[in-house]
Amino acid sequence: MEPVKGGTLADIPEEAEKLFKSYHSDMSVASWAIRFAASHENVMLVLSGMSSMEQLKDNLSYMENFKPFAPEEFELVCEAAKMINQSVAIPCTGCSYCINKCPINIAIPKYFALYNADMRELETKAWTAQTMLYSHFSEQYGKAGDCIRCGQCEKICPQHLPIREWMKKVAERFEGDQGNS
C-alpha cells in the first residue's frame, strides 16, 4: 500500500528522474515506485491511489503485462533513493492522520511541507515565501512552537516520524526564538 508514498515519489529531484529516463525513457516516475513494490517476492497485490484517467492508463500500461524488476533496476532505484533522501529534510507524505490527534490543532503536514520547500529553495535563493505562508497558516492553526510534545501524532503516523523533534526544528526555522518551548 502507498507504493508512490502519497504521490511524493512521482515528483522527485531532476537528477533521479533523469536516471530513470536514461534507463527507460517511456516509463513514468510513478511506475518505478509501483513496479519496485510489485517486484518483491510474495507481493500479490499493489494498491496505488490515482487521481486522474491519465494515471489509471499509466498504471495499466506497465501492470497489465507485468515484468518484475531486473537486478540493474533495483540498483537504479537504490541510487535514486539516495538522491531523493538527500533532497527531503522531513519525509512526510502529508496523509494528515496526525492532525486529528493533535490537541493544539497544529497543521503538521503543512508545516513540514513548508519546511521542506524552504530548505530546497534556500540552496538557490536568499528569500523564500514559506515564512509568509507559515505565518498565514499559524493564524488558523497552532504554531509548531505551541506543540506540547504529547506524542499523540507520532502514535498514528504511518511513516513513524519523530514529529515532536521535527516540530522543534520547524519552530526554530519559522518562529526563531519564539519556538523554543
PDB file of all heavy atoms in Angstrom, residues 50-83:
ATOM      1  N   MET A  50      -4.962   6.764  -7.444  1.00  0.00           N
ATOM      2  CA  MET A  50      -4.886   7.509  -8.701  1.00  0.00           C
ATOM      3  C   MET A  50      -5.908   8.638  -8.648  1.00  0.00           C
ATOM      4  O   MET A  50      -6.991   8.462  -8.103  1.00  0.00           O
ATOM      5  CB  MET A  50      -5.170   6.591  -9.883  1.00  0.00           C
ATOM      6  CG  MET A  50      -4.137   5.485 -10.048  1.00  0.00           C
ATOM      7  SD  MET A  50      -4.752   4.099 -11.012  1.00  0.00           S
ATOM      8  CE  MET A  50      -5.713   3.227  -9.791  1.00  0.00           C
ATOM      9  N   SER A  51      -5.557   9.770  -9.247  1.00  0.00           N
ATOM     10  CA  SER A  51      -6.472  10.907  -9.216  1.00  0.00           C
ATOM     11  C   SER A  51      -6.860  11.386 -10.611  1.00  0.00           C
ATOM     12  O   SER A  51      -7.494  12.426 -10.739  1.00  0.00           O
ATOM     13  CB  SER A  51      -5.863  12.053  -8.413  1.00  0.00           C
ATOM     14  OG  SER A  51      -4.604  12.401  -8.930  1.00  0.00           O
ATOM     15  N   SER A  52      -6.463  10.638 -11.633  1.00  0.00           N
ATOM     16  CA  SER A  52      -6.846  11.037 -12.996  1.00  0.00           C
ATOM     17  C   SER A  52      -6.868   9.809 -13.910  1.00  0.00           C
ATOM     18  O   SER A  52      -6.265   8.774 -13.606  1.00  0.00           O
ATOM     19  CB  SER A  52      -5.847  12.062 -13.557  1.00  0.00           C
ATOM     20  OG  SER A  52      -4.602  11.450 -13.832  1.00  0.00           O
ATOM     21  N   MET A  53      -7.553   9.964 -15.018  1.00  0.00           N
ATOM     22  CA  MET A  53      -7.604   8.894 -16.021  1.00  0.00           C
ATOM     23  C   MET A  53      -6.202   8.639 -16.577  1.00  0.00           C
ATOM     24  O   MET A  53      -5.837   7.498 -16.862  1.00  0.00           O
ATOM     25  CB  MET A  53      -8.581   9.269 -17.142  1.00  0.00           C
ATOM     26  CG  MET A  53      -8.749   8.177 -18.184  1.00  0.00           C
ATOM     27  SD  MET A  53      -9.346   6.596 -17.526  1.00  0.00           S
ATOM     28  CE  MET A  53     -11.066   6.972 -17.266  1.00  0.00           C
ATOM     29  N   GLU A  54      -5.411   9.691 -16.696  1.00  0.00           N
ATOM     30  CA  GLU A  54      -4.035   9.553 -17.190  1.00  0.00           C
ATOM     31  C   GLU A  54      -3.224   8.638 -16.275  1.00  0.00           C
ATOM     32  O   GLU A  54      -2.481   7.775 -16.745  1.00  0.00           O
ATOM     33  CB  GLU A  54      -3.382  10.939 -17.273  1.00  0.00           C
ATOM     34  CG  GLU A  54      -1.969  10.919 -17.789  1.00  0.00           C
ATOM     35  CD  GLU A  54      -1.355  12.316 -17.800  1.00  0.00           C
ATOM     36  OE1 GLU A  54      -2.097  13.308 -17.972  1.00  0.00           O
ATOM     37  OE2 GLU A  54      -0.129  12.392 -17.633  1.00  0.00           O
ATOM     38  N   GLN A  55      -3.377   8.798 -14.960  1.00  0.00           N
ATOM     39  CA  GLN A  55      -2.665   7.948 -14.018  1.00  0.00           C
ATOM     40  C   GLN A  55      -3.156   6.501 -14.100  1.00  0.00           C
ATOM     41  O   GLN A  55      -2.353   5.571 -14.016  1.00  0.00           O
ATOM     42  CB  GLN A  55      -2.829   8.485 -12.598  1.00  0.00           C
ATOM     43  CG  GLN A  55      -2.083   9.775 -12.362  1.00  0.00           C
ATOM     44  CD  GLN A  55      -2.354  10.360 -10.988  1.00  0.00           C
ATOM     45  OE1 GLN A  55      -3.147   9.846 -10.202  1.00  0.00           O
ATOM     46  NE2 GLN A  55      -1.686  11.475 -10.689  1.00  0.00           N
ATOM     47  N   LEU A  56      -4.448   6.316 -14.268  1.00  0.00           N
ATOM     48  CA  LEU A  56      -5.004   4.972 -14.423  1.00  0.00           C
ATOM     49  C   LEU A  56      -4.413   4.287 -15.653  1.00  0.00           C
ATOM     50  O   LEU A  56      -3.954   3.142 -15.587  1.00  0.00           O
ATOM     51  CB  LEU A  56      -6.526   5.022 -14.522  1.00  0.00           C
ATOM     52  CG  LEU A  56      -7.218   3.693 -14.812  1.00  0.00           C
ATOM     53  CD1 LEU A  56      -7.057   2.724 -13.657  1.00  0.00           C
ATOM     54  CD2 LEU A  56      -8.689   3.923 -15.116  1.00  0.00           C
ATOM     55  N   LYS A  57      -4.389   5.006 -16.771  1.00  0.00           N
ATOM     56  CA  LYS A  57      -3.836   4.436 -18.009  1.00  0.00           C
ATOM     57  C   LYS A  57      -2.349   4.134 -17.858  1.00  0.00           C
ATOM     58  O   LYS A  57      -1.866   3.115 -18.360  1.00  0.00           O
ATOM     59  CB  LYS A  57      -4.076   5.393 -19.179  1.00  0.00           C
ATOM     60  CG  LYS A  57      -5.526   5.451 -19.610  1.00  0.00           C
ATOM     61  CD  LYS A  57      -5.728   6.456 -20.724  1.00  0.00           C
ATOM     62  CE  LYS A  57      -7.187   6.516 -21.156  1.00  0.00           C
ATOM     63  NZ  LYS A  57      -7.424   7.559 -22.174  1.00  0.00           N
ATOM     64  N   ASP A  58      -1.643   5.009 -17.167  1.00  0.00           N
ATOM     65  CA  ASP A  58      -0.221   4.776 -16.929  1.00  0.00           C
ATOM     66  C   ASP A  58      -0.031   3.488 -16.135  1.00  0.00           C
ATOM     67  O   ASP A  58       0.769   2.631 -16.515  1.00  0.00           O
ATOM     68  CB  ASP A  58       0.398   5.967 -16.196  1.00  0.00           C
ATOM     69  CG  ASP A  58       1.884   5.804 -15.944  1.00  0.00           C
ATOM     70  OD1 ASP A  58       2.619   5.446 -16.900  1.00  0.00           O
ATOM     71  OD2 ASP A  58       2.327   6.016 -14.803  1.00  0.00           O
ATOM     72  N   ASN A  59      -0.777   3.327 -15.043  1.00  0.00           N
ATOM     73  CA  ASN A  59      -0.665   2.115 -14.228  1.00  0.00           C
ATOM     74  C   ASN A  59      -0.967   0.859 -15.041  1.00  0.00           C
ATOM     75  O   ASN A  59      -0.268  -0.149 -14.927  1.00  0.00           O
ATOM     76  CB  ASN A  59      -1.605   2.178 -13.027  1.00  0.00           C
ATOM     77  CG  ASN A  59      -1.090   3.077 -11.929  1.00  0.00           C
ATOM     78  OD1 ASN A  59      -0.034   3.681 -12.032  1.00  0.00           O
ATOM     79  ND2 ASN A  59      -1.858   3.186 -10.863  1.00  0.00           N
ATOM     80  N   LEU A  60      -1.997   0.919 -15.849  1.00  0.00           N
ATOM     81  CA  LEU A  60      -2.350  -0.237 -16.676  1.00  0.00           C
ATOM     82  C   LEU A  60      -1.258  -0.564 -17.691  1.00  0.00           C
ATOM     83  O   LEU A  60      -1.025  -1.730 -17.996  1.00  0.00           O
ATOM     84  CB  LEU A  60      -3.676   0.004 -17.402  1.00  0.00           C
ATOM     85  CG  LEU A  60      -4.927  -0.018 -16.537  1.00  0.00           C
ATOM     86  CD1 LEU A  60      -6.140   0.404 -17.348  1.00  0.00           C
ATOM     87  CD2 LEU A  60      -5.130  -1.391 -15.913  1.00  0.00           C
ATOM     88  N   SER A  61      -0.579   0.452 -18.194  1.00  0.00           N
ATOM     89  CA  SER A  61       0.426   0.241 -19.238  1.00  0.00           C
ATOM     90  C   SER A  61       1.571  -0.667 -18.794  1.00  0.00           C
ATOM     91  O   SER A  61       2.124  -1.394 -19.604  1.00  0.00           O
ATOM     92  CB  SER A  61       0.980   1.574 -19.743  1.00  0.00           C
ATOM     93  OG  SER A  61       1.849   2.167 -18.797  1.00  0.00           O
ATOM     94  N   TYR A  62       1.932  -0.644 -17.536  1.00  0.00           N
ATOM     95  CA  TYR A  62       3.043  -1.490 -17.094  1.00  0.00           C
ATOM     96  C   TYR A  62       2.616  -2.605 -16.145  1.00  0.00           C
ATOM     97  O   TYR A  62       3.389  -3.512 -15.874  1.00  0.00           O
ATOM     98  CB  TYR A  62       4.164  -0.660 -16.459  1.00  0.00           C
ATOM     99  CG  TYR A  62       3.717   0.261 -15.362  1.00  0.00           C
ATOM    100  CD1 TYR A  62       3.577  -0.181 -14.070  1.00  0.00           C
ATOM    101  CD2 TYR A  62       3.425   1.598 -15.630  1.00  0.00           C
ATOM    102  CE1 TYR A  62       3.155   0.653 -13.072  1.00  0.00           C
ATOM    103  CE2 TYR A  62       3.003   2.444 -14.643  1.00  0.00           C
ATOM    104  CZ  TYR A  62       2.873   1.967 -13.356  1.00  0.00           C
ATOM    105  OH  TYR A  62       2.453   2.820 -12.362  1.00  0.00           O
ATOM    106  N   MET A  63       1.384  -2.575 -15.659  1.00  0.00           N
ATOM    107  CA  MET A  63       0.940  -3.640 -14.757  1.00  0.00           C
ATOM    108  C   MET A  63       0.120  -4.719 -15.461  1.00  0.00           C
ATOM    109  O   MET A  63       0.039  -5.843 -14.976  1.00  0.00           O
ATOM    110  CB  MET A  63       0.125  -3.066 -13.596  1.00  0.00           C
ATOM    111  CG  MET A  63       0.941  -2.223 -12.628  1.00  0.00           C
ATOM    112  SD  MET A  63       2.345  -3.079 -11.879  1.00  0.00           S
ATOM    113  CE  MET A  63       1.515  -4.156 -10.719  1.00  0.00           C
ATOM    114  N   GLU A  64      -0.441  -4.389 -16.610  1.00  0.00           N
ATOM    115  CA  GLU A  64      -1.272  -5.352 -17.329  1.00  0.00           C
ATOM    116  C   GLU A  64      -0.468  -6.599 -17.714  1.00  0.00           C
ATOM    117  O   GLU A  64      -0.898  -7.718 -17.516  1.00  0.00           O
ATOM    118  CB  GLU A  64      -1.887  -4.692 -18.561  1.00  0.00           C
ATOM    119  CG  GLU A  64      -3.075  -5.429 -19.095  1.00  0.00           C
ATOM    120  CD  GLU A  64      -3.865  -4.572 -20.074  1.00  0.00           C
ATOM    121  OE1 GLU A  64      -3.266  -3.708 -20.747  1.00  0.00           O
ATOM    122  OE2 GLU A  64      -5.071  -4.787 -20.154  1.00  0.00           O
ATOM    123  N   ASN A  65       0.697  -6.388 -18.280  1.00  0.00           N
ATOM    124  CA  ASN A  65       1.619  -7.484 -18.614  1.00  0.00           C
ATOM    125  C   ASN A  65       2.892  -7.262 -17.796  1.00  0.00           C
ATOM    126  O   ASN A  65       3.959  -6.976 -18.342  1.00  0.00           O
ATOM    127  CB  ASN A  65       1.921  -7.506 -20.117  1.00  0.00           C
ATOM    128  CG  ASN A  65       0.681  -7.792 -20.930  1.00  0.00           C
ATOM    129  OD1 ASN A  65      -0.029  -8.755 -20.674  1.00  0.00           O
ATOM    130  ND2 ASN A  65       0.404  -6.928 -21.897  1.00  0.00           N
ATOM    131  N   PHE A  66       2.747  -7.399 -16.505  1.00  0.00           N
ATOM    132  CA  PHE A  66       3.793  -7.039 -15.557  1.00  0.00           C
ATOM    133  C   PHE A  66       5.099  -7.791 -15.768  1.00  0.00           C
ATOM    134  O   PHE A  66       5.112  -9.009 -15.923  1.00  0.00           O
ATOM    135  CB  PHE A  66       3.303  -7.275 -14.123  1.00  0.00           C
ATOM    136  CG  PHE A  66       4.328  -6.935 -13.096  1.00  0.00           C
ATOM    137  CD1 PHE A  66       4.672  -5.612 -12.867  1.00  0.00           C
ATOM    138  CD2 PHE A  66       4.958  -7.920 -12.369  1.00  0.00           C
ATOM    139  CE1 PHE A  66       5.628  -5.289 -11.921  1.00  0.00           C
ATOM    140  CE2 PHE A  66       5.908  -7.617 -11.427  1.00  0.00           C
ATOM    141  CZ  PHE A  66       6.243  -6.293 -11.197  1.00  0.00           C
ATOM    142  N   LYS A  67       6.198  -7.019 -15.757  1.00  0.00           N
ATOM    143  CA  LYS A  67       7.544  -7.580 -15.809  1.00  0.00           C
ATOM    144  C   LYS A  67       8.264  -7.126 -14.546  1.00  0.00           C
ATOM    145  O   LYS A  67       8.460  -5.931 -14.339  1.00  0.00           O
ATOM    146  CB  LYS A  67       8.302  -7.063 -17.034  1.00  0.00           C
ATOM    147  CG  LYS A  67       7.779  -7.596 -18.340  1.00  0.00           C
ATOM    148  CD  LYS A  67       8.609  -7.080 -19.496  1.00  0.00           C
ATOM    149  CE  LYS A  67       8.000  -7.523 -20.803  1.00  0.00           C
ATOM    150  NZ  LYS A  67       8.628  -6.867 -21.944  1.00  0.00           N
ATOM    151  N   PRO A  68       8.662  -8.078 -13.694  1.00  0.00           N
ATOM    152  CA  PRO A  68       9.383  -7.704 -12.474  1.00  0.00           C
ATOM    153  C   PRO A  68      10.699  -6.996 -12.794  1.00  0.00           C
ATOM    154  O   PRO A  68      11.236  -7.119 -13.900  1.00  0.00           O
ATOM    155  CB  PRO A  68       9.650  -9.036 -11.779  1.00  0.00           C
ATOM    156  CG  PRO A  68       8.724 -10.008 -12.415  1.00  0.00           C
ATOM    157  CD  PRO A  68       8.456  -9.511 -13.806  1.00  0.00           C
ATOM    158  N   PHE A  69      11.210  -6.298 -11.818  1.00  0.00           N
ATOM    159  CA  PHE A  69      12.485  -5.599 -11.964  1.00  0.00           C
ATOM    160  C   PHE A  69      13.603  -6.558 -12.327  1.00  0.00           C
ATOM    161  O   PHE A  69      13.681  -7.669 -11.786  1.00  0.00           O
ATOM    162  CB  PHE A  69      12.876  -4.959 -10.630  1.00  0.00           C
ATOM    163  CG  PHE A  69      12.486  -3.518 -10.473  1.00  0.00           C
ATOM    164  CD1 PHE A  69      11.518  -2.917 -11.242  1.00  0.00           C
ATOM    165  CD2 PHE A  69      13.110  -2.745  -9.505  1.00  0.00           C
ATOM    166  CE1 PHE A  69      11.173  -1.596 -11.072  1.00  0.00           C
ATOM    167  CE2 PHE A  69      12.779  -1.420  -9.321  1.00  0.00           C
ATOM    168  CZ  PHE A  69      11.818  -0.845 -10.105  1.00  0.00           C
ATOM    169  N   ALA A  70      14.475  -6.101 -13.181  1.00  0.00           N
ATOM    170  CA  ALA A  70      15.742  -6.783 -13.435  1.00  0.00           C
ATOM    171  C   ALA A  70      16.707  -6.324 -12.332  1.00  0.00           C
ATOM    172  O   ALA A  70      16.490  -5.265 -11.719  1.00  0.00           O
ATOM    173  CB  ALA A  70      16.271  -6.390 -14.809  1.00  0.00           C
ATOM    174  N   PRO A  71      17.759  -7.090 -12.057  1.00  0.00           N
ATOM    175  CA  PRO A  71      18.693  -6.692 -10.985  1.00  0.00           C
ATOM    176  C   PRO A  71      19.220  -5.259 -11.133  1.00  0.00           C
ATOM    177  O   PRO A  71      19.332  -4.535 -10.142  1.00  0.00           O
ATOM    178  CB  PRO A  71      19.829  -7.720 -11.105  1.00  0.00           C
ATOM    179  CG  PRO A  71      19.165  -8.923 -11.694  1.00  0.00           C
ATOM    180  CD  PRO A  71      18.117  -8.384 -12.641  1.00  0.00           C
ATOM    181  N   GLU A  72      19.512  -4.837 -12.358  1.00  0.00           N
ATOM    182  CA  GLU A  72      20.040  -3.474 -12.539  1.00  0.00           C
ATOM    183  C   GLU A  72      18.996  -2.403 -12.213  1.00  0.00           C
ATOM    184  O   GLU A  72      19.336  -1.285 -11.838  1.00  0.00           O
ATOM    185  CB  GLU A  72      20.625  -3.267 -13.943  1.00  0.00           C
ATOM    186  CG  GLU A  72      19.632  -3.403 -15.075  1.00  0.00           C
ATOM    187  CD  GLU A  72      19.532  -4.809 -15.647  1.00  0.00           C
ATOM    188  OE1 GLU A  72      20.019  -5.776 -15.023  1.00  0.00           O
ATOM    189  OE2 GLU A  72      18.945  -4.932 -16.731  1.00  0.00           O
ATOM    190  N   GLU A  73      17.718  -2.751 -12.331  1.00  0.00           N
ATOM    191  CA  GLU A  73      16.668  -1.791 -11.977  1.00  0.00           C
ATOM    192  C   GLU A  73      16.610  -1.585 -10.461  1.00  0.00           C
ATOM    193  O   GLU A  73      16.388  -0.463  -9.999  1.00  0.00           O
ATOM    194  CB  GLU A  73      15.312  -2.245 -12.513  1.00  0.00           C
ATOM    195  CG  GLU A  73      15.217  -2.128 -14.025  1.00  0.00           C
ATOM    196  CD  GLU A  73      13.919  -2.658 -14.582  1.00  0.00           C
ATOM    197  OE1 GLU A  73      13.665  -3.885 -14.429  1.00  0.00           O
ATOM    198  OE2 GLU A  73      13.163  -1.860 -15.167  1.00  0.00           O
ATOM    199  N   PHE A  74      16.839  -2.643  -9.698  1.00  0.00           N
ATOM    200  CA  PHE A  74      16.913  -2.494  -8.244  1.00  0.00           C
ATOM    201  C   PHE A  74      18.077  -1.569  -7.878  1.00  0.00           C
ATOM    202  O   PHE A  74      17.963  -0.737  -6.981  1.00  0.00           O
ATOM    203  CB  PHE A  74      17.072  -3.856  -7.549  1.00  0.00           C
ATOM    204  CG  PHE A  74      15.797  -4.622  -7.380  1.00  0.00           C
ATOM    205  CD1 PHE A  74      15.555  -5.762  -8.128  1.00  0.00           C
ATOM    206  CD2 PHE A  74      14.832  -4.210  -6.461  1.00  0.00           C
ATOM    207  CE1 PHE A  74      14.383  -6.483  -7.970  1.00  0.00           C
ATOM    208  CE2 PHE A  74      13.653  -4.924  -6.301  1.00  0.00           C
ATOM    209  CZ  PHE A  74      13.423  -6.066  -7.059  1.00  0.00           C
ATOM    210  N   GLU A  75      19.202  -1.709  -8.577  1.00  0.00           N
ATOM    211  CA  GLU A  75      20.360  -0.852  -8.325  1.00  0.00           C
ATOM    212  C   GLU A  75      20.048   0.606  -8.646  1.00  0.00           C
ATOM    213  O   GLU A  75      20.424   1.510  -7.897  1.00  0.00           O
ATOM    214  CB  GLU A  75      21.565  -1.334  -9.141  1.00  0.00           C
ATOM    215  CG  GLU A  75      22.126  -2.660  -8.672  1.00  0.00           C
ATOM    216  CD  GLU A  75      23.210  -3.215  -9.591  1.00  0.00           C
ATOM    217  OE1 GLU A  75      23.822  -2.441 -10.358  1.00  0.00           O
ATOM    218  OE2 GLU A  75      23.437  -4.441  -9.539  1.00  0.00           O
ATOM    219  N   LEU A  76      19.345   0.837  -9.754  1.00  0.00           N
ATOM    220  CA  LEU A  76      18.956   2.204 -10.118  1.00  0.00           C
ATOM    221  C   LEU A  76      18.039   2.828  -9.068  1.00  0.00           C
ATOM    222  O   LEU A  76      18.184   4.004  -8.727  1.00  0.00           O
ATOM    223  CB  LEU A  76      18.239   2.219 -11.475  1.00  0.00           C
ATOM    224  CG  LEU A  76      19.110   2.132 -12.714  1.00  0.00           C
ATOM    225  CD1 LEU A  76      18.253   1.972 -13.963  1.00  0.00           C
ATOM    226  CD2 LEU A  76      19.969   3.378 -12.840  1.00  0.00           C
ATOM    227  N   VAL A  77      17.110   2.041  -8.555  1.00  0.00           N
ATOM    228  CA  VAL A  77      16.196   2.541  -7.529  1.00  0.00           C
ATOM    229  C   VAL A  77      16.971   2.906  -6.262  1.00  0.00           C
ATOM    230  O   VAL A  77      16.680   3.921  -5.622  1.00  0.00           O
ATOM    231  CB  VAL A  77      15.069   1.529  -7.239  1.00  0.00           C
ATOM    232  CG1 VAL A  77      14.325   1.864  -5.974  1.00  0.00           C
ATOM    233  CG2 VAL A  77      14.103   1.478  -8.409  1.00  0.00           C
ATOM    234  N   CYS A  78      17.959   2.119  -5.907  1.00  0.00           N
ATOM    235  CA  CYS A  78      18.785   2.438  -4.734  1.00  0.00           C
ATOM    236  C   CYS A  78      19.530   3.750  -4.935  1.00  0.00           C
ATOM    237  O   CYS A  78      19.614   4.574  -4.013  1.00  0.00           O
ATOM    238  CB  CYS A  78      19.761   1.299  -4.433  1.00  0.00           C
ATOM    239  SG  CYS A  78      18.951  -0.158  -3.745  1.00  0.00           S
ATOM    240  N   GLU A  79      20.067   3.955  -6.134  1.00  0.00           N
ATOM    241  CA  GLU A  79      20.740   5.220  -6.454  1.00  0.00           C
ATOM    242  C   GLU A  79      19.768   6.395  -6.371  1.00  0.00           C
ATOM    243  O   GLU A  79      20.073   7.436  -5.786  1.00  0.00           O
ATOM    244  CB  GLU A  79      21.301   5.169  -7.888  1.00  0.00           C
ATOM    245  CG  GLU A  79      22.744   4.820  -8.001  1.00  0.00           C
ATOM    246  CD  GLU A  79      23.203   4.913  -9.453  1.00  0.00           C
ATOM    247  OE1 GLU A  79      23.446   6.044  -9.939  1.00  0.00           O
ATOM    248  OE2 GLU A  79      23.306   3.850 -10.091  1.00  0.00           O
ATOM    249  N   ALA A  80      18.597   6.219  -6.957  1.00  0.00           N
ATOM    250  CA  ALA A  80      17.577   7.274  -6.941  1.00  0.00           C
ATOM    251  C   ALA A  80      17.125   7.559  -5.509  1.00  0.00           C
ATOM    252  O   ALA A  80      16.915   8.721  -5.143  1.00  0.00           O
ATOM    253  CB  ALA A  80      16.393   6.877  -7.812  1.00  0.00           C
ATOM    254  N   ALA A  81      16.988   6.524  -4.689  1.00  0.00           N
ATOM    255  CA  ALA A  81      16.568   6.701  -3.296  1.00  0.00           C
ATOM    256  C   ALA A  81      17.558   7.584  -2.538  1.00  0.00           C
ATOM    257  O   ALA A  81      17.153   8.443  -1.749  1.00  0.00           O
ATOM    258  CB  ALA A  81      16.412   5.351  -2.605  1.00  0.00           C
ATOM    259  N   LYS A  82      18.839   7.392  -2.785  1.00  0.00           N
ATOM    260  CA  LYS A  82      19.856   8.241  -2.139  1.00  0.00           C
ATOM    261  C   LYS A  82      19.672   9.700  -2.551  1.00  0.00           C
ATOM    262  O   LYS A  82      19.737  10.606  -1.727  1.00  0.00           O
ATOM    263  CB  LYS A  82      21.261   7.758  -2.505  1.00  0.00           C
ATOM    264  CG  LYS A  82      21.643   6.458  -1.850  1.00  0.00           C
ATOM    265  CD  LYS A  82      23.005   5.981  -2.333  1.00  0.00           C
ATOM    266  CE  LYS A  82      23.270   4.571  -1.851  1.00  0.00           C
ATOM    267  NZ  LYS A  82      24.462   3.986  -2.462  1.00  0.00           N
ATOM    268  N   MET A  83      19.428   9.918  -3.847  1.00  0.00           N
ATOM    269  CA  MET A  83      19.211  11.280  -4.349  1.00  0.00           C
ATOM    270  C   MET A  83      17.965  11.910  -3.725  1.00  0.00           C
ATOM    271  O   MET A  83      17.969  13.071  -3.334  1.00  0.00           O
ATOM    272  CB  MET A  83      19.057  11.267  -5.868  1.00  0.00           C
ATOM    273  CG  MET A  83      20.276  10.853  -6.627  1.00  0.00           C
ATOM    274  SD  MET A  83      19.852  10.657  -8.388  1.00  0.00           S
ATOM    275  CE  MET A  83      21.353   9.941  -9.016  1.00  0.00           C
TER     276      MET A  83
END
